[in-house]
Amino acid sequence: MTDQDALRTTFSFAPPINDAAAWHLQLDDLANKVIEAFPGASTSLGGDQGPRSADALSFEVPLGDGVWLEGLATTPYPEIGSVMVMHASAAEAAQLGIWLRDSFVPSPDLVHFTSELALSNGDDTSWALPPPASVDEIARTLQQHMEATDRS
């Protein structure tokens, strides 16, 4: 489900902008659930990551076939934050996105996303992760997002 030649970017998954605390994000809880859901995963709690002081959780999860997904979750405010995956293809990011939607957030309609590619092209629109979609459908949604925002 990975493609070494695929377009890659950093994807950021977060609650809807108008309900930023909807996930009630606790980094220690996220760390425990990542370790539980992805055998072989590693996590490291830290702080002062991002543009303003924030608690942070770095993580790496195995996706199979020797492919690892590197991520960072930050909480600049109590229970408010996002989960990013770095230098990921749409197919790779979709695997974490579906896990967040189905196993971590309190409701499947509370996962929105954007990407570094979009933001660097001036597009700060947040896209909703499709609640009833499969991992392949989510990968297609993430790919459509990249194609729609890639102006290079």
Side-chain angles (χ1 to χ4, degrees):
M1 173 154 250
T2 62
D3 180 359
Q4 295 302 320
D5 297 325
L7 181 60
R8 296 178 173 282
T9 190
T10 295
F11 287 95
S12 177
F13 298 98
I17 292 170
N18 63 351
D19 194 4
W23 289 8
H24 305 288
L25 185 58
Q26 299 286 329
L27 296 180
D28 55 346
D29 183 44
L30 178 63
N32 291 333
K33 289 184 178 175
V34 164
I35 294 293
E36 192 177 291
F38 298 94
S42 65
T43 64
S44 176
L45 287 167
D48 294 328
Q49 300 287 323
R52 72 177 301 281
S53 181
D55 291 329
L57 171 72
S58 299
F59 60 89
E60 290 184 330
V61 296
L63 298 180
D65 296 326
V67 176
W68 287 78
L69 191 61
E70 182 180 347
L72 178 69
T74 58
T75 52
Y77 302 100
E79 298 190 355
I80 296 175
S82 63
V83 177
M84 296 177 286
V85 292
M86 276 71 98
H87 195 65
S89 70
E92 293 163 354
Q95 292 182 59
L96 188 73
I98 200 166
W99 175 78
L100 285 168
R101 184 197 71 189
D102 293 349
S103 302
F104 185 72
V105 302
S107 175
D109 61 338
L110 293 176
V111 183
H112 286 222
F113 71 93
T114 190
S115 69
E116 181 181 29
L117 181 62
L119 295 171
S120 67
N121 285 320
D123 183 351
D124 61 358
T125 306
S126 174
W127 290 42
L129 204 67
S134 69
V135 71
D136 291 334
E137 292 168 322
I138 290 171
R140 281 193 293 277
T141 299
L142 295 172
Q143 186 66 39
Q144 289 169 348
H145 163 83
M146 287 195 302
E147 291 168 0
T149 58
D150 182 21
R151 297 186 195 148
S152 54

